[in-house]
Amino acid sequence: MKPNIIVALIVGAVIGFGVSQFVSKRAPDAPSPVAAAPKAPSPTAPSAAPSARPPAPSSITKVSIPDASPFFGPKHAKVTIVEWSDFECPFCSRAANTVNEIKAAYPNDVKFVFRHRPLPMHPNAPLAHAASMAAHEQGKFFEYHDLLFANQRQLDRASLERYAQQVGLDLSRFRAALDSGKYADFVEQDSQEGQRIGAGGTPTFFVNGRKMVGAQPFAVFKATIDEEIAKADALLAKGTRIEDVYETLLNSAPPPPKVEVGQAPTKGPANAPVTIIEWSDFECPFCARGAERVNEIIAKYGDKVRFAYKHQPLSFHKNAMLAAQASMAAHEQVKFFEYHDLLFANQRSLERDSLERYAEQLGLDMTKFRSALDSGKYAAYVRKDSQDGSALGATGTPTFFVNGRQIVGAKPLAEFSRIIDEELAKTAAR
């Protein structure tokens, strides 16, 4: 294949990925964070995903900080940002640039904490993370961190040692730390903790507990940081010690709204011990993968799982809103999931004529179906689904809630199974 053709294909793939990740003006259309480029090199590594507004203050995660975690900024600050990152993830490299902007803009108000999340598809990441901790042991974590991100394609052992030399580390001590696996457990524990609290992809940030997924632009971080500084200032004015601000803010958020099935189309028994509610978009390619994952879950767990589908048509998918309404017109005739499957099987043909053709294939009453579309009968229903999802933090597609526990993206079956098994165990214990 000619070099210029290869370049064109790569550029096209990147552009396609960026468009799929871009957000709408109303901000529920954040990325499909599972998304990677078309061949999905990293189904758990979200890309940069600009968002029109900061995450909801009500969506607070209690994020612990190990004493050994590298950080910059004041030990006690008005705003604490904790990032789970992967040195071999290109989106994390992009995010590192934004982190440097934050450092420059808020030297006295922000504490930034780095936590480790080497993804399994990145073969050199675990050792690179261990090496960064070996550099941290010698007081050079962020200098080393910057070199790793600047040289992501060269993270083999020899390169890691070369970077250690560049930042002036004691090489004997550095090599001993890597040879002994001294920091392997620390890195793995960081990764597991990130997975547990919802940092399934990289980069994932928590700004005073408010989750932000992907390499968001500085402006989005600034909006969130400024809101949190205002809250901290209010606490300090009332006499709260700066040492207590972070914990106080983590504990002050109202409980998140309950995730309700409502009138959504469902599969499985109403009394199933596990309920999975998905917000999805019929024109989103990652949602098609999500639909496959749901089928795998149902095949594995049967009547132990109830599944509900909710709508989050993204504004840049021009046919998604009408497709969502058409699916509800099919639901009215008790054919939602049959129609749902046809839409995902034909994502590139979702214009009005095609929507009618799929309805005919399923034997729907076409007069009734067309009337529902012509009148916009289900437009308000779809918009309400979208608004409800945004309020819950379902700002990307697909987003799932497994007994209320959020999973963003069409993650592997193993990740869903881990959470489902935990929920089944809770039910058995009760």
Side-chain angles (χ1 to χ4, degrees):
M1 186 178 289
K2 294 181 179 180
N4 60 337
I5 295 176
I6 294 172
V7 170
L9 288 174
I10 293 171
V11 170
V14 171
I15 291 172
F17 175 46
V19 169
S20 74
Q21 297 289 59
F22 193 73
V23 212
S24 82
K25 61 183 178 183
R26 71 179 196 283
D29 311 345
S32 172
V34 343
K39 286 194 176 181
S42 172
T44 55
S47 97
S51 175
R53 66 179 72 151
S58 60
S59 303
I60 301 295
T61 302
K62 293 188 177 182
V63 182
S64 63
I65 302 172
D67 291 339
S69 291
F71 74 91
F72 65 70
K75 182 177 180 180
H76 303 291
K78 295 177 182 178
V79 179
T80 298
I81 300 175
V82 183
E83 178 193 15
W84 266 267
S85 184
D86 174 339
F87 286 118
E88 206 167 350
C89 163
F91 312 119
C92 295
S93 177
R94 197 184 311 172
N97 295 328
T98 304
V99 168
N100 286 332
E101 291 184 75
I102 293 169
K103 182 179 183 180
Y106 298 96
N108 301 314
D109 291 327
V110 170
K111 175 182 181 179
F112 173 81
V113 182
F114 185 97
R115 299 196 67 177
H116 304 275
R117 187 81 173 94
L119 302 180
M121 71 288 297
H122 291 153
N124 294 314
L127 190 62
H129 282 270
S132 74
M133 291 304 295
H136 181 47
E137 178 183 316
Q138 298 188 45
K140 292 289 182 74
F141 176 83
F142 284 101
E143 295 90 333
Y144 197 79
H145 159 287
D146 292 347
L147 273 176
L148 294 182
F149 278 129
N151 297 278
Q152 285 192 310
R153 298 194 178 186
Q154 293 180 306
L155 297 180
D156 54 280
R157 173 65 184 256
S159 295
L160 296 176
E161 292 190 9
R162 186 169 69 254
Y163 307 144
Q165 284 182 303
Q166 287 179 237
V167 299
L169 299 187
D170 178 330
L171 271 180
S172 296
R173 190 175 167 191
F174 178 85
R175 289 176 178 137
L178 293 194
D179 291 341
S180 67
K182 181 176 182 179
Y183 292 106
D185 285 347
F186 182 87
V187 169
E188 179 60 23
Q189 287 168 12
D190 252 16
S191 186
Q192 289 178 4
E193 175 65 6
Q195 180 80 3
R196 186 188 70 78
I197 68 168
T202 58
T204 295
F205 298 84
F206 293 90
V207 182
N208 279 357
R210 295 165 66 179
K211 182 178 176 181
M212 298 176 66
V213 178
Q216 305 280 356
F218 173 73
V220 176
F221 278 97
K222 184 178 188 307
T224 309
I225 291 168
D226 289 346
E227 285 182 6
E228 293 302 310
I229 287 176
K231 291 181 194 174
D233 285 340
L235 288 175
L236 293 169
K238 292 178 181 177
T240 303
R241 300 185 311 160
I242 187 65
E243 295 92 332
D244 299 327
V245 164
Y246 181 58
E247 286 297 326
T248 302
L249 287 172
L250 290 189
N251 292 324
S252 64
K258 189 175 180 181
V259 187
E260 302 280 4
V261 170
Q263 300 302 308
T266 63
K267 278 184 177 181
N271 63 349
V274 175
T275 296
I276 300 173
I277 303 175
E278 177 191 16
W279 267 265
S280 184
D281 172 335
F282 286 115
E283 205 168 349
C284 164
F286 311 113
C287 294
R289 289 188 215 166
E292 294 172 4
R293 198 70 69 244
V294 168
N295 288 335
E296 292 172 359
I297 292 167
I298 292 172
K300 180 174 180 178
Y301 290 97
D303 288 347
K304 294 178 182 177
V305 167
R306 183 189 191 196
F307 171 73
Y309 184 98
K310 298 211 171 196
H311 302 278
Q312 186 66 290
L314 307 185
S315 65
F316 48 84
H317 289 156
K318 64 180 181 178
N319 295 312
M321 180 63 180
L322 190 62
Q325 294 176 62
S327 73
M328 293 308 295
H331 181 48
E332 182 181 334
Q333 299 189 45
V334 201
K335 289 287 181 75
F336 176 83
F337 285 102
E338 295 90 336
Y339 197 80
H340 158 287
D341 292 348
L342 277 175
L343 294 182
F344 278 127
N346 297 277
Q347 285 191 309
R348 297 192 178 186
S349 299
L350 296 180
E351 71 286 348
R352 174 65 184 256
D353 288 348
S354 295
L355 297 177
E356 292 190 11
R357 186 169 70 253
Y358 308 143
E360 288 175 336
Q361 284 179 238
L362 295 176
L364 300 187
D365 179 328
M366 292 307 298
T367 300
K368 191 175 179 182
F369 180 85
R370 290 186 181 113
S371 175
L373 294 195
D374 292 339
S375 66
K377 181 177 181 178
Y378 291 105
Y381 178 93
V382 171
R383 283 194 293 269
K384 178 67 163 53
D385 260 9
S386 180
Q387 291 164 3
D388 290 347
S390 297
L392 290 163
T395 54
T397 58
T399 294
F400 300 84
F401 292 89
V402 181
N403 280 3
R405 298 169 64 178
Q406 188 180 52
I407 297 179
V408 181
K411 295 296 196 310
L413 177 62
E415 184 164 338
F416 282 93
S417 294
R418 178 181 61 82
I419 293 177
I420 292 168
D421 291 344
E422 287 176 5
E423 293 301 309
L424 291 173
K426 289 179 188 176
T427 301
R430 288 195 295 268

